[in-house]
Amino acid sequence: MAGTKDGSGNGGNGSAKPVARRLLATATRLFAEQGYDRTSVQEIVDAAGVTKGALYHYFGSKDDLLHEVYGRVLRLQQERLDHFADADAPVEQRLRDAAADVVVTTIENLDDTKIFFRSMHHLGPEKDKQVRAERRRYHERFRALIEEGQRTGVFTSDIPADLVVDYHFGSVHHLGTWYREDGPLSPQQVADHLADLLLRALRP
């Protein structure tokens, strides 16, 4: 993402966030506080201290911002999943690491995830199609670890891999309805519990 020149008078401030990042942070906050459909482009640019021209330089529309709110989390998770999947470790360890990581990264970006799933129906057809393709790629890589373990006898083959994926990600997508930062469990503790449940279900 380029530059900090936005016409707001902060271009020379080395501590200022890059414009695109500031816009995204502002939009995320407003979407979380007010809802996507009740937040206007004007409110976003006013709160971010930039012009509409600056916003449209980085994001073509308000739904581009919504797409990026979730897209940045999904890119992070895909990168980390690829790292775990490619590691030189037993498949059980690779799957456990991946299963725990998606829980931690979801909790660390819980506002982004909640905003997206609450508002994804506002995306245009092309962006909706793109997001679904990106999520499918993630789920397929995750499923491939389960299938590898099933082929080699490490995991039971009694349960279809697709059902195992849905089981784990159903729990992940539900985090936004109950997890609280001041609750009794840390993100890593929740991740460890859910990853252990997944591995327990797959043992022969």
Side-chain angles (χ1 to χ4, degrees):
M1 293 179 180
T4 57
K5 193 165 115 182
D6 61 12
S8 66
N10 295 331
N13 184 349
S15 65
K17 291 181 182 178
V19 176
R21 226 174 22 175
R22 189 159 80 245
L23 281 164
L24 195 56
T26 302
T28 300
R29 176 175 60 80
L30 291 174
F31 293 163
E33 290 173 358
Q34 303 176 177
Y36 172 83
D37 53 338
R38 291 188 295 277
T39 301
S40 69
V41 168
Q42 190 63 54
E43 286 177 293
I44 294 169
V45 297
D46 286 348
V50 302
T51 63
K52 278 188 179 180
L55 184 147
Y56 290 126
H57 175 71
Y58 293 100
F59 304 98
S61 61
K62 192 172 79 163
D63 76 335
D64 277 351
L65 280 163
L66 177 61
H67 177 261
E68 184 59 17
V69 164
Y70 185 60
R72 62 183 174 177
V73 179
L74 192 54
R75 286 193 298 275
L76 168 69
Q77 292 177 332
Q78 183 70 58
E79 180 182 333
R80 292 176 65 81
L81 173 59
D82 289 341
H83 168 76
F84 292 124
D86 292 334
D88 183 17
V91 67
E92 185 170 3
Q93 185 62 51
R94 286 182 280 138
L95 179 63
R96 193 193 185 284
D97 288 344
D101 183 74
V102 73
V103 175
V104 171
T105 52
T106 295
I107 291 174
E108 287 176 345
N109 297 279
L110 208 51
D111 276 350
D112 304 55
T113 307
K114 285 193 291 187
I115 289 165
F116 185 79
F117 283 110
R118 194 168 62 210
S119 308
M120 65 179 294
H121 61 282
H122 290 291
L123 288 177
E126 282 305 310
K127 288 192 181 63
D128 180 70
K129 182 179 177 182
Q130 182 181 343
V131 166
R132 290 179 189 278
E134 290 165 350
R135 288 177 63 197
R136 186 165 56 250
R137 178 176 171 243
Y138 184 93
H139 285 192
E140 286 172 353
R141 189 83 203 264
F142 193 92
R143 185 185 66 207
L145 287 171
I146 297 167
E147 291 171 336
E148 179 185 341
Q150 290 176 328
R151 281 195 311 272
T152 55
V154 176
F155 302 146
T156 180
S157 297
D158 294 343
I159 308 171
D162 279 333
L163 190 58
V164 178
V165 172
D166 287 343
Y167 165 77
H168 187 64
F169 285 95
S171 299
V172 172
H173 294 160
H174 195 59
L175 287 167
T177 66
W178 68 267
Y179 183 81
R180 296 293 177 270
E181 196 174 320
D182 59 352
L185 296 174
S186 70
Q188 190 61 57
Q189 287 174 317
V190 175
D192 288 339
H193 286 312
L194 291 179
D196 287 343
L197 284 171
L198 176 66
L199 269 295
R200 199 174 303 160
L202 282 169
R203 288 193 184 110

